[in-house]
Amino acid sequence: GISSNDEMQLSLDPDSSPLVNTRWERVVDDAFTTLFVVELMLRVLGIRSEFFKEADWQWNVFDVLVIGMALVEILLRATGISGGVVFVLRVVKVFRALRLLRVIRFVRHVNVLHAMSLAIANCSMMLVWAVAFLVLLVFLFSIMLIDAASQYISEHGQNAEHLDALQAFYGTLSMTMLTLFMSLTGGVDWWDVVQPLLEISAGYCIVFILFQIIGALAVLNVINATFVNDAMESARKNPDLRIHREMEDMKFMLQRLTALFQDLDAACS
């Protein structure tokens, strides 16, 4: 992240000096890469043929790919970068950033993060269908609004009021969909979007408000409720989290019983 920031600053101002010494960054990065290589070799020597057969074999393959890309980057940097390998180097940098995903392997040891990651993973298909439904809703209303805008511009030509706003917000179908999505999620002010529609007809303003009612009050709330319900259900059914909850309940009961017996002992004495 620091090296990417420095590269951006140098791209914007080639005469400026990087915030962090590039050589020092490379030394630290190479040191971490060396540690990862040693750790991977020790794991391979420890479990041998089970490296690609154990329960977490997918993570092992991921580690091999990430470390391999890191070694490729070191090799390219050592041999010199030519124009033909710039794209390869960019791909390598992306894989280097993916090393942060290794942290996910240890999420299961932190119950709160484990519950969150489990909920997100179990809601992936629900997310796909929610996005598909939202895109369909935006698409249907976009067709109505872009037809109104195109007809209005055709009738009034270049003398149409708010022509620039109509072209900016409703110039193409994709731009109209983006406008509706931004208005639904707070990316653009309602008045900026509705004002050109008022010049066309108040009816299209009602159409826009109807879209907001359906999208914000119905669709998004239903999606949120569904996600919360699925997340709670997945956390409730997970055996690790269930055992943790039972242990916490048992610990709480033991504390209550201990306090109760201490009070009884003090009262009797």
Side-chain angles (χ1 to χ4, degrees), residues 145-247:
L145 295 182
I146 195 174
D147 286 342
S150 62
Q151 184 177 358
Y152 177 79
I153 294 175
S154 298
E155 293 176 355
H156 295 80
Q158 297 299 320
N159 297 323
E161 294 188 28
H162 302 287
L163 178 62
D164 294 337
L166 288 172
Q167 291 178 341
F169 293 124
Y170 309 102
T172 61
L173 179 61
S174 58
M175 192 63 220
T176 306
M177 294 179 65
L178 179 60
T179 298
L180 292 182
F181 178 76
M182 289 192 299
S183 66
L184 187 63
T185 55
V188 66
D189 189 77
W190 274 28
W191 178 245
D192 296 335
V193 178
V194 172
Q195 190 175 13
L197 297 178
L198 287 174
E199 295 297 330
I200 301 176
S201 173
Y204 291 106
C205 180
I206 297 176
V207 171
F208 179 83
I209 295 175
L210 180 62
F211 166 76
Q212 296 295 330
I213 293 175
I214 296 175
L217 300 182
V219 176
L220 293 184
N221 284 331
V222 169
I223 291 175
N224 289 335
T226 304
F227 273 108
V228 171
N229 181 70
D230 289 350
M232 294 178 63
E233 191 69 17
S234 61
R236 185 180 64 84
K237 292 182 178 180
N238 184 262
D240 295 335
L241 295 176
R242 186 169 63 248
I243 292 174
H244 176 73
R245 287 195 303 270
E246 292 176 356
M247 292 179 63

Side-chain angles (χ1 to χ4, degrees), residues 247-260:
M247 292 179 63
E248 289 292 329
D249 293 340
M250 185 179 298
K251 181 179 179 181
F252 176 74
M253 290 300 299
L254 288 175
Q255 291 176 349
R256 292 289 301 273
L257 290 174
T258 301
L260 177 61

Side-chain angles (χ1 to χ4, degrees), residues 34-201:
T34 303
L35 290 176
F36 289 148
V37 171
V38 172
E39 185 255 350
L40 181 64
M41 292 178 62
L42 291 176
R43 282 164 49 199
V44 172
L45 293 175
I47 59 180
R48 298 181 183 276
S49 60
E50 297 296 324
F51 186 78
F52 295 108
K53 297 180 182 179
E54 61 176 357
D56 294 333
W57 67 270
Q58 298 94 337
W59 285 111
N60 295 337
V61 174
F62 175 77
D63 289 343
V64 172
L65 291 176
V66 171
I67 294 175
M69 285 295 179
L71 294 176
V72 169
E73 181 186 8
I74 294 176
L75 180 62
L76 291 176
R77 194 169 62 228
T79 57
I81 302 175
S82 61
V85 296
V86 172
F87 176 76
V88 177
L89 186 61
R90 290 176 180 174
V91 174
V92 168
K93 288 184 177 181
V94 172
F95 270 87
R96 184 178 64 177
L98 292 178
R99 286 183 297 186
L100 292 175
L101 294 179
R102 290 164 57 94
V103 179
I104 298 178
R105 300 184 61 178
F106 306 100
V107 164
R108 68 183 62 183
H109 302 294
V110 183
N111 292 294
V112 177
L113 294 179
H114 188 195
M116 293 177 61
S117 61
L118 186 66
I120 293 174
N122 290 340
C123 294
S124 56
M125 286 305 301
M126 179 61 66
L127 176 63
V128 172
W129 288 111
V131 171
F133 184 81
L134 188 60
V135 169
L136 178 61
L137 178 68
V138 172
F139 177 75
L140 293 177
F141 278 88
S142 296
I143 292 177
M144 290 187 285
L145 295 182
I146 195 174
D147 286 342
S150 62
Q151 184 177 358
Y152 177 79
I153 294 175
S154 298
E155 293 176 355
H156 295 80
Q158 297 299 320
N159 297 323
E161 294 188 28
H162 302 287
L163 178 62
D164 294 337
L166 288 172
Q167 291 178 341
F169 293 124
Y170 309 102
T172 61
L173 179 61
S174 58
M175 192 63 220
T176 306
M177 294 179 65
L178 179 60
T179 298
L180 292 182
F181 178 76
M182 289 192 299
S183 66
L184 187 63
T185 55
V188 66
D189 189 77
W190 274 28
W191 178 245
D192 296 335
V193 178
V194 172
Q195 190 175 13
L197 297 178
L198 287 174
E199 295 297 330
I200 301 176
S201 173

Side-chain angles (χ1 to χ4, degrees), residues 3 6-7 10 18-28:
S3 60
D6 290 343
E7 289 180 5
L10 288 174
L19 299 177
V20 181
N21 190 286
T22 305
R23 186 175 181 181
W24 178 82
E25 293 173 5
R26 291 180 177 178
V27 170
V28 173

